[in-house]
Amino acid sequence: MKLILSLFLSLFIIGNLNAQDQPDSIEISLLTCGTGDELYSLFGHSAVRVVNHTAHTDEIYNYGLFDFWDPDFYVKFTTGKLLYFVGKDNYLNFLYTYEAEKRSVIEQQLNVNEKQKLDIIHFLEQNLLPENRAYRYDFLFDNCATRIRDIFPKELGKDFKFGNAIATEQSISFRNILNEYLKNSHWARLGINIIFGNKVDKKMSNEAAMFLPDLLMAGISTSTFQNQAFVSSTQQILEGTHKTNRSLNQPLWVMMSILLITMAVFFFPKLEKFRKIIAFLFLFITGILGCFLIFAWFGTEHQTFSNNFNLLWALPFNLMVSFTIFKARSWHKNYSIIALLALSLSVLISLTGIQEMPLLELIPFFFIMLYTYLYLNKRSKAIIKN
């Protein structure tokens, strides 16, 4: 009996050791989480799931973590110096968040052998080390999706080939695809289109398009490794809620309403006393915005904020001019002409595709600025004449 028991225990131990080396004992998959309602969740999320059936572990490697309690959080976030981290969490804990937010989760199981699985896990574990876990976040070029995208060609070598994330590389810019994701978040879309410079108007390459989790999932779904499909199976873990109807474009209606008020003030003599206030208000707003765009371009490390031609209509000098509006100056004439030319040039730049601006919402605002600059010009001419 002792001999039989010893034999049984030996076989059991050997069987367990062998099971650890079997490809089926470890499963690696890509998780793609759907979009949410909050600004931080509008573009979805990506993570890597590793299931070890022998060790009875089910863990998530997540590249989207940051330290919200950092005392300099807002300064670092604004200046583009905020560090993101990779962390490891229990699968059920991770899933609970997306279930609570009613966001979808899709799992793609990867078709790789034992050695490649161990190589990927080793890479992920190395990233978890204190000296490796932090990275400088960049919305387009270095985020939770691009970090995972870069694992596969690095660890699997030339035998790995990405599939098509987008239908054609020549027809879609970063801005185009961002606008599609923001179609129901009009204020966020307007703000992002104003603060992002012309770098986001570049046409996306296939791999660059995978900065978005959905497009990473699309690219991985048709990827190949050693001439075989890279994804062995795909399943929907959580359904989530889908919003198909476009919401009311609130910024457009707000701009139209303000334009009507502005036209009434400048056309009706009885409202003449409000003209200086209107002119001051919009010169001040565009001046403040222009100063912020200058700071975003030169004072931060966000690549997407550079080369921003919105500065042609959001002139920083308007801030100074706004405080001189209550008393006409002769130099207002030349300034208003330059401002009108800059305003016209900004429309031309958008129409020619050098930098696409949200003209649908901005055209009413441009008419407001047109009335403001013409008012400035008319008053200065009166001063010069006298």
Side-chain angles (χ1 to χ4, degrees):
M1 289 296 294
K2 286 181 181 179
L3 180 62
I4 293 170
L5 183 60
S6 298
L7 253 178
F8 175 77
L9 288 173
S10 298
L11 289 171
F12 179 77
I13 292 168
I14 291 169
N16 273 345
L17 289 173
N18 288 336
Q20 291 180 0
D21 296 330
Q22 295 301 314
D24 292 337
S25 69
I26 297 175
E27 295 176 0
I28 298 181
S29 55
L30 171 68
L31 296 184
T32 303
C33 309
T35 59
D37 296 323
E38 301 300 326
L39 182 60
Y40 71 88
S41 64
L42 288 175
F43 302 99
H45 187 52
S46 295
V48 177
R49 180 186 182 187
V50 176
V51 181
N52 189 324
H53 295 289
T54 305
H56 303 292
T57 58
D58 192 347
E59 296 171 316
I60 298 294
Y61 292 84
N62 183 359
Y63 282 88
L65 306 178
F66 55 86
D67 182 10
F68 185 75
W69 304 110
D70 186 331
D72 299 321
F73 174 82
Y74 291 105
V75 174
K76 290 179 179 178
F77 180 80
T78 304
T79 57
K81 297 179 181 179
L82 182 66
L83 294 179
Y84 272 57
F85 305 91
V86 57
K88 189 161 64 171
D89 193 12
N90 178 271
Y91 170 68
L92 292 179
N93 290 341
F94 178 85
L95 206 62
Y96 175 77
T97 302
Y98 294 91
E99 188 174 14
E101 294 179 2
K102 297 181 180 179
R103 294 167 62 185
S104 64
V105 176
I106 296 174
E107 181 177 33
Q108 294 170 295
Q109 191 164 319
L110 306 185
N111 182 25
V112 288
N113 64 27
E114 170 199 348
K115 181 183 181 305
Q116 280 87 43
K117 288 178 183 178
L118 295 176
D119 287 343
I120 292 171
I121 293 171
H122 177 72
F123 178 87
L124 293 168
E125 288 294 328
Q126 285 294 309
N127 273 203
L128 284 173
L129 296 176
E131 62 270 25
N132 299 329
R133 63 190 298 259
Y135 68 97
R136 184 72 58 79
Y137 177 85
D138 186 282
F139 179 65
L140 294 184
F141 307 111
D142 199 354
N143 61 28
C144 67
T146 63
R147 285 270 157 170
I148 295 171
R149 175 200 66 192
D150 295 342
I151 293 172
F152 307 125
K154 181 179 178 63
E155 292 303 313
L156 304 178
K158 295 180 180 179
D159 290 334
F160 175 81
K161 305 292 182 186
F162 278 116
N164 291 326
I166 49 179
T168 170
E169 297 181 7
Q170 303 303 319
S171 60
I172 304 176
S173 69
F174 289 99
R175 195 185 300 274
N176 291 152
I177 199 69
L178 291 177
N179 284 339
E180 182 60 29
Y181 274 77
L182 295 166
K183 62 185 178 184
N184 286 314
S185 302
H186 298 289
W187 286 110
R189 177 178 52 79
L190 178 62
I192 285 174
N193 275 287
I194 289 173
I195 198 172
F196 279 8
N198 72 348
K199 281 193 174 183
V200 298
D201 293 290
K202 290 173 57 180
K203 303 304 180 184
M204 297 187 297
S205 68
N206 187 58
E207 289 189 26
M210 298 182 205
F211 81 99
L212 286 171
D214 283 346
L215 296 183
L216 174 62
M217 179 177 68
I220 291 296
S221 66
T222 53
S223 295
T224 59
F225 177 56
Q226 296 177 341
N227 297 320
Q228 293 184 343
F230 186 53
V231 174
S232 59
S233 65
T234 302
Q235 61 173 326
Q236 184 103 29
I237 306 294
L238 294 175
E239 285 291 338
T241 17
H242 302 282
K243 293 182 179 178
T244 53
N245 296 328
R246 289 183 180 264
S247 60
L248 181 70
N249 189 341
Q250 293 179 349
L252 174 61
W253 290 105
V254 168
M255 294 296 180
M256 291 295 292
S257 301
I258 296 173
L259 174 59
L260 290 175
I261 293 170
T262 303
M263 290 174 66
V265 168
F266 282 104
F267 274 101
F268 293 108
K270 289 183 179 181
L271 299 175
E272 184 178 357
K273 60 183 178 181
F274 297 108
R275 290 174 187 174
K276 291 180 184 178
I277 297 173
I278 289 287
F280 168 80
L281 187 61
F282 290 108
L283 287 169
F284 182 81
I285 289 171
T286 51
I288 286 288
L289 179 59
C291 291
F292 176 74
L293 294 180
I294 286 285
F295 166 74
W297 184 343
F298 297 102
T300 76
E301 297 186 24
H302 293 289
Q303 296 184 57
T304 51
F305 293 173
S306 60
N307 305 335
N308 195 339
F309 288 99
N310 282 302
L311 280 163
L312 288 169
W313 60 266
L315 293 170
F317 301 107
N318 281 0
L319 181 61
M320 176 193 70
V321 176
S322 68
F323 291 102
T324 67
I325 194 67
F326 294 101
K327 185 177 180 181
R329 308 288 203 278
S330 59
W331 56 267
H332 282 174
K333 177 185 176 183
N334 291 334
Y335 182 83
S336 61
I337 292 171
I338 294 170
L340 285 168
L341 289 173
L343 188 66
S344 304
L345 186 57
S346 66
V347 176
L348 184 63
I349 283 174
S350 183
L351 292 175
T352 54
I354 296 172
Q355 178 177 325
E356 186 180 334
M357 299 177 191
L359 289 182
L360 182 64
E361 293 86 6
L362 286 183
I363 286 297
F365 187 76
F366 286 174
F367 274 106
I368 294 169
M369 296 311 300
L370 174 65
Y371 284 119
T372 300
Y373 293 137
L374 289 175
Y375 173 68
L376 205 64
N377 186 275
K378 184 179 178 181
R379 292 177 72 223
S380 64
K381 283 182 178 179
I383 290 292
I384 294 168
K385 186 178 180 180
N386 290 335

